[in-house]
Amino acid sequence: MSTNTSSRQVPFVDLKAQYSAIQAEINAAIEQVLHNTDFILGQDVEAFEQEFAAYCEVAYAVGVDSGMSALELALRAYEIGSGDEVITVANTFIATALSITNAGARVVLVDADPITYTLDPAQLEAAITKRTRAIIPVHLYGQPADMDRIMQIAHKHGLIVIEDACQAHGARYKGRRAGSLGHAAAFSFYPGKNLGAYGDGGMVVTNDERVANSIRMLRNYGQREKYHHVVQGYNRRLDTIQAAVLRVKLRYLDQWNDARRQHATRYNVLLSDAPVTLPVVADQAESVWHLFVIGTPQRDSLRKYLIEQGISAGMHYPVPIHLQPAYADLGYKKGDFPVSERSSEELLSLPMYPELTEDMIDYVSEQIHTFMRRNAGLPLNAQGILQG
């Protein structure tokens, strides 16, 4: 095991820093829930649903217990299940695929765009069959997928589009919020997200009143009122304490996203002459930089080096969906989705969170330059930056 050779530390995410900045407001919100003792679907849940719907520029929002539940219940609300197929991208977290499976449908994969790593619309129509019912594009790393092209294809074939916006709280596509672009959208409030709870949580947003009402029943044992069960439902409710926390944090989301954009700009400038692939944001998109992801064939060695220098770096995602043992039954093989496979081997996520300092970003960038120069056997300047 490698030992840390640096006394400096740059965490991948620092939740303590964020909590410290808003501690009084958070504590007061939690204490109010404790005072009210309305722990299950309490007043903060309804209030947060209204506030988040307004933020996403949609009519309805329904709080659930996770982003995966949000995707699954959205599929179920559109009556998608056994015998149906749902298309998504191979380069995503497994929860996207699991939501399809848990709804009873079959996962059909397409490859990612080689520039943005979101779902490649050019590959969609070839994947559509008579059993296809829906498409789940993933707004990866905080950048919306190419939704106009996806929606055009979906409309042509009569398909439902459910946005996986679990990494895209506040992102925009051609001026419109992520979550308002498809028929419905799913958000995760996992603690490390741009808008994160202090536990699990999720939300479905939509302009479809029928779908919103269906999800409200499905999340709460299938009942419209207590003990009167209309459908066979689940226990997938958003916790009131988490909703109270999220109401406080939603007020800061745009400010935090602006800080992420500033950090991304600084990374891009400092790494512009490094031999790594830098992230590209499409002209029509406004990313919220949930992750800042670079590419290099030396990914694993670079990550090990950065960890030795006290810098936490992540991999999103080291095994694409079609190569996961859990989905061996889909019949895909290595080589079927080359962009997703290459990204799984080469992409590295650098520290990214609002409270990241310029000094931290400078240090991370310097260490990347140092690693690359040493591996190339070339001289360094006093700061470890590439020369020549």
Side-chain angles (χ1 to χ4, degrees):
M1 178 181 292
S2 298
T3 57
N4 190 344
T5 60
S6 173
S7 60
R8 301 186 67 174
Q9 298 293 316
V10 183
F12 187 68
V13 174
D14 189 349
L15 298 180
K16 288 183 179 180
Q18 187 177 87
Y19 171 63
S20 296
I22 56 174
Q23 180 175 352
E25 294 172 81
I26 291 290
N27 290 355
I30 293 173
E31 287 173 7
Q32 187 62 51
V33 176
L34 299 179
H35 175 77
N36 294 338
T37 65
D38 60 346
F39 302 118
I40 304 298
L41 294 181
Q43 62 187 23
D44 277 301
V45 174
E46 183 177 359
F48 178 57
E49 288 172 340
Q50 293 172 353
E51 291 160 4
F52 194 69
Y55 181 83
C56 292
E57 301 169 358
V58 298
Y60 307 101
V62 184
V64 295
D65 61 346
S66 71
M68 189 170 83
S69 287
L71 286 168
E72 178 192 339
L73 296 188
L75 289 168
R76 290 184 179 278
Y78 283 103
E79 300 179 347
I80 295 168
S82 179
D84 297 328
E85 294 178 351
V86 178
I87 299 171
T88 193
V89 66
N91 179 34
T92 184
F93 183 53
I94 200 168
T96 311
L98 289 174
S99 69
I100 300 168
T101 304
N102 290 350
R106 179 176 177 81
V107 177
V108 175
L109 299 173
V110 296
D111 209 354
D113 179 272
I115 304 299
T116 64
Y117 302 110
T118 57
L119 187 151
D120 186 353
Q123 302 191 34
L124 264 180
E125 289 203 89
I128 295 172
T129 73
K130 62 181 181 181
R131 292 187 174 183
T132 306
R133 290 285 314 283
I135 304 166
I136 300 182
V138 180
H139 301 330
L140 198 66
Y141 309 149
Q143 173 169 205
D146 191 349
M147 289 299 295
D148 276 1
R149 293 175 65 192
I150 292 168
M151 292 301 294
Q152 288 167 3
I153 294 168
H155 179 73
K156 176 181 176 181
H157 294 274
L159 304 178
I160 296 298
V161 175
I162 300 171
E163 302 167 63
D164 183 337
C166 292
Q167 297 184 359
H169 313 69
R172 290 188 181 273
Y173 175 87
K174 295 187 175 180
R176 298 169 59 197
R177 287 281 195 200
S180 69
L181 306 168
H183 296 93
F187 288 87
S188 166
F189 302 124
Y190 184 78
K193 303 294 186 181
N194 291 40
L195 181 62
Y198 291 166
D200 279 315
M203 187 78 80
V204 182
V205 300
T206 183
N207 285 311
D208 190 324
E209 184 179 14
R210 182 195 67 81
V211 167
N213 289 337
S214 176
I215 293 169
R216 285 196 179 94
M217 287 191 295
L218 287 169
R219 73 174 177 183
N220 192 28
Y221 300 108
Q223 59 189 0
R224 281 202 182 98
E225 56 182 305
K226 197 166 186 178
Y227 301 130
H228 294 270
H229 304 272
V230 181
V231 296
Q232 296 177 11
Y234 310 89
N235 181 1
R236 305 283 185 84
R237 302 170 299 208
L238 177 63
D239 182 82
T240 306
I241 288 179
Q242 300 304 338
V245 168
L246 290 162
R247 290 188 70 196
V248 172
K249 297 180 80 173
L250 180 60
R251 298 196 289 267
Y252 293 92
L253 180 57
D254 285 341
Q255 174 185 325
W256 290 336
N257 284 342
D258 285 342
R260 288 173 179 269
R261 292 188 186 100
Q262 293 172 18
H263 300 337
T265 297
R266 192 171 188 85
Y267 269 132
N268 276 316
V269 170
L270 293 174
L271 295 174
S272 62
D273 58 349
V276 298
T277 301
L278 294 175
V280 175
V281 177
D283 291 340
Q284 69 269 22
E286 184 178 310
S287 178
V288 290
W289 297 99
H290 174 61
L291 297 172
F292 188 93
V293 181
I294 63 172
T296 172
Q298 304 176 73
R299 190 269 309 278
D300 293 344
S301 297
L302 173 58
R303 181 170 183 260
K304 179 182 177 183
Y305 173 80
L306 292 177
I307 290 172
E308 289 172 349
Q309 309 313 310
I311 299 167
S312 295
M315 295 184 291
H316 299 80
Y317 300 96
V319 183
I321 300 298
H322 68 293
L323 299 182
Q324 295 281 359
Y327 280 105
D329 64 316
L330 295 181
Y332 296 116
K333 63 184 184 304
K334 189 172 179 60
D336 284 346
F337 305 110
V339 174
S340 296
E341 291 173 26
R342 186 171 67 252
S343 69
S344 73
E345 297 168 352
E346 296 187 357
L347 296 188
L348 182 69
S349 302
L350 302 183
M352 173 57 80
Y353 52 94
E355 298 77 19
L356 199 65
T357 67
E358 290 186 356
D359 180 66
M360 289 176 172
I361 296 170
D362 294 350
Y363 178 62
V364 173
S365 302
E366 288 169 9
Q367 292 305 319
I368 292 171
H369 277 282
T370 297
F371 172 85
M372 292 298 178
R373 179 62 69 173
R374 285 178 178 171
N375 273 24
L378 298 172
L380 302 168
N381 66 16
Q383 289 76 39
I385 304 298
L386 301 182
Q387 292 180 331

